[in-house]
Amino acid sequence: MKILVTGGAGFIGSNFVHYMLNEHPEDEIVNLDLLTYAGDLESLEDVENLPNYRFVRGDIADRAFIFELFERERFDVVINFAAESHVDRSITGPAIFVQTNVLGTTTLLDACNKYGIKRYHQVSTDEVYGDLPLDRPDLFFTENTPIHTSSPYSSSKASADLFVMAYHRTYGLPVTISRCSNNYGPYQFPEKLIPLMIAKALNDEKLPVYGEGLNVRDWLEVRDHCMAIDLIVRNGRVGEVYNVGGHNERTNMQVVKTILNALGKPESLIAHVEDRKGHDRRYAIDPKKLETELGWKPKYVFETGIQDTIRWYLDNRTWWEHILSGEYLKGR
Ligand SMILES: NC(=O)c1ccc[n+]([C@@H]2O[C@H](COP(=O)([O-])OP(=O)(O)OC[C@H]3O[C@@H](n4cnc5c(N)ncnc54)[C@H](O)[C@@H]3O)[C@@H](O)[C@H]2O)c1
């Protein structure tokens, strides 16, 4: 199969490219990425010369470019990871989220419609379901939970999901959607909670924690997410949504303290800062559909997964230090 992976220079996309090249060396991967501030080709240095992998720089919202690419390449499968992904940035500047996440997605869908594909897969988020109360641990997001977004980020992702489903219903496009919880693992940009806290702790800087740090996230190891997407694309039913989550709920404070303990740093480094506007309280996924229909079983549990992740950031200091210093932007 010839697979277009968009956003493959980002956190989850680069892990997915690695996963696919390992698991399915018979497939051909074309990685299309605009290389915004969040894209880093250093994450893919070890695969860049493989004969079945290619990088193309471009914007998923650039219609002429996308149509020309599809005309030339004739993809079998399109998997869309490309997005503006940081909630805090969406609060200070929502417009680019509409441009990339909504317009970019519909541009890809139009190209799929025109040139024909076997499957279009949209990588979405559990944030489209809004949040759950902290005092109801019995509640989980299912695929039938109503869309009820909080931030400009989640609103743009929910809009994209609605367009994906509309293209299936209206034009018969063979689509699937996955909605996952918070990912952690290698190659995550150090503006997100776990790598940010690791980098700050290693530099003996204050660790900024929103409010009391009691917001709960359901942590998913990125490689378990990659496995889920691969299963959905190959065996998932067209027109269906699949939730992906690992039943690994932790408060932000628990995560931060785990990192400090692992690095032998004092909890006095924690600094409580003003809460994020509209901050979602709790996310928790019910992944039953993915488990029963497609046999997905996560390989990682948070206790050991987080320790492996911390070790990865210790062993790959140059990777994230290049980002923090801006070195990774040189030559763009
Ligand atoms: N990280 C998470 O925990 C998480 C959780 C749920 C869902 N998701 C979703 O998964 C996907 C990937 O997330 P991530 O954390 O890897 O994001 P990321 O920010 O690390 O990477 C996004 C990538 O998309 C690229 N990109 C941005 N705009 C583009 C455009 N217009 N054209 C082409 N490429 C563009 C960037 O250069 C970057 O490489 C996103 O769709 C996100 O909404 C992420």
Side-chain angles (χ1 to χ4, degrees):
M1 286 198 303
K2 190 170 188 176
I3 304 175
L4 175 66
V5 171
T6 69
F11 164 44
I12 307 177
S14 61
N15 276 284
F16 187 73
V17 169
H18 279 114
Y19 180 91
M20 292 297 280
L21 291 170
N22 263 327
E23 296 292 318
H24 303 288
E26 70 285 4
D27 288 337
E28 185 182 342
I29 306 283
V30 177
N31 170 16
L32 164 66
D33 197 296
L34 184 57
L35 298 185
T36 67
Y37 80 93
D40 185 359
L41 288 179
E42 285 184 31
S43 310
L44 293 160
E45 268 174 351
D46 54 331
V47 298
E48 66 188 11
N49 293 322
L50 290 181
N52 57 338
Y53 168 78
R54 252 179 314 137
F55 172 70
V56 180
R57 188 171 187 183
D59 184 346
I60 58 165
D62 180 342
R63 212 172 171 79
F65 163 78
I66 288 293
F67 274 59
E68 195 269 324
L69 181 75
F70 273 65
E71 164 103 56
R72 196 175 64 233
E73 300 282 355
R74 303 289 168 161
F75 301 111
D76 298 303
V77 170
V78 174
I79 306 178
N80 182 24
F81 293 87
E84 287 292 332
S85 70
H86 194 41
V87 174
D88 289 344
R89 288 176 186 256
S90 82
I91 293 169
T92 51
I96 186 69
F97 284 72
V98 179
Q99 170 73 17
T100 295
N101 300 0
V102 186
L103 213 63
T105 297
T106 55
T107 305
L108 290 172
L109 292 168
D110 282 339
C112 289
N113 245 351
K114 175 159 184 198
Y115 295 101
I117 37 94
K118 294 195 180 95
R119 179 65 64 90
Y120 173 91
H121 183 77
Q122 178 75 1
V123 180
S124 185
T125 167
D126 62 353
E127 297 192 33
V128 302
Y129 300 124
D131 64 352
L132 295 163
L134 291 174
D135 58 357
R136 289 292 306 275
D138 55 315
L139 295 182
F140 296 91
F141 296 136
T142 74
E143 291 79 1
N144 296 323
T145 302
I147 301 280
H148 186 77
T149 58
S150 310
S151 68
Y153 163 69
S154 54
S155 302
S156 68
K157 293 295 289 184
S159 306
D161 284 10
L162 294 176
F163 275 104
V164 171
M165 282 312 186
Y167 274 62
H168 173 61
R169 170 91 189 235
T170 308
Y171 309 112
L173 199 68
V175 305
T176 38
I177 296 178
S178 52
R179 293 184 179 142
C180 68
S181 51
N182 284 53
N183 284 217
Y184 70 98
Y187 300 116
Q188 186 166 29
F189 199 81
E191 67 180 348
K192 302 283 170 65
L193 183 77
I194 289 176
L196 176 75
M197 296 302 167
I198 296 171
K200 295 247 181 231
L202 285 173
N203 290 330
D204 293 309
E205 291 170 24
K206 288 285 184 190
L207 275 58
V209 172
Y210 282 131
E212 293 300 306
L214 297 179
N215 304 62
V216 173
R217 300 293 179 257
D218 182 359
W219 291 97
L220 173 67
E221 220 280 350
V222 64
R223 284 161 288 196
D224 281 334
H225 184 197
C226 294
M227 189 209 323
I229 294 171
D230 185 27
L231 277 173
I232 295 166
V233 167
R234 279 163 211 272
N235 305 326
R237 283 181 296 139
V238 160
E240 292 289 320
V241 173
Y242 293 88
N243 282 353
V244 194
H247 282 304
N248 286 303
E249 288 181 53
R250 296 288 183 285
T251 65
N252 287 346
M253 197 50 119
Q254 284 173 316
V255 172
V256 170
K257 285 186 176 171
T258 302
I259 293 169
L260 287 171
N261 280 337
L263 295 175
K265 300 287 181 177
E267 291 184 6
S268 56
L269 283 179
I270 295 172
H272 293 278
V273 298
E274 190 189 335
D275 209 354
R276 173 189 275 168
K277 289 186 173 63
H279 204 173
D280 283 339
R281 293 161 294 176
R282 171 175 169 252
Y283 304 137
I285 284 268
D286 177 356
K288 220 176 287 133
K289 180 174 172 183
L290 183 66
E291 290 173 345
T292 52
E293 262 188 37
L294 302 180
W296 178 77
K297 226 175 151 34
K299 285 191 177 148
Y300 296 85
V301 291
F302 190 75
E303 283 75 17
T304 47
I306 186 68
Q307 299 300 336
D308 291 348
T309 297
I310 294 168
R311 208 164 309 119
W312 188 89
Y313 285 90
L314 281 169
D315 292 344
N316 293 274
R317 234 180 138 126
T318 328
W319 180 84
W320 56 266
E321 281 181 344
H322 276 181
I323 293 179
L324 292 182
S325 68
E327 165 112 13
Y328 79 117
L329 295 170
K330 271 198 186 140
R332 287 196 185 167

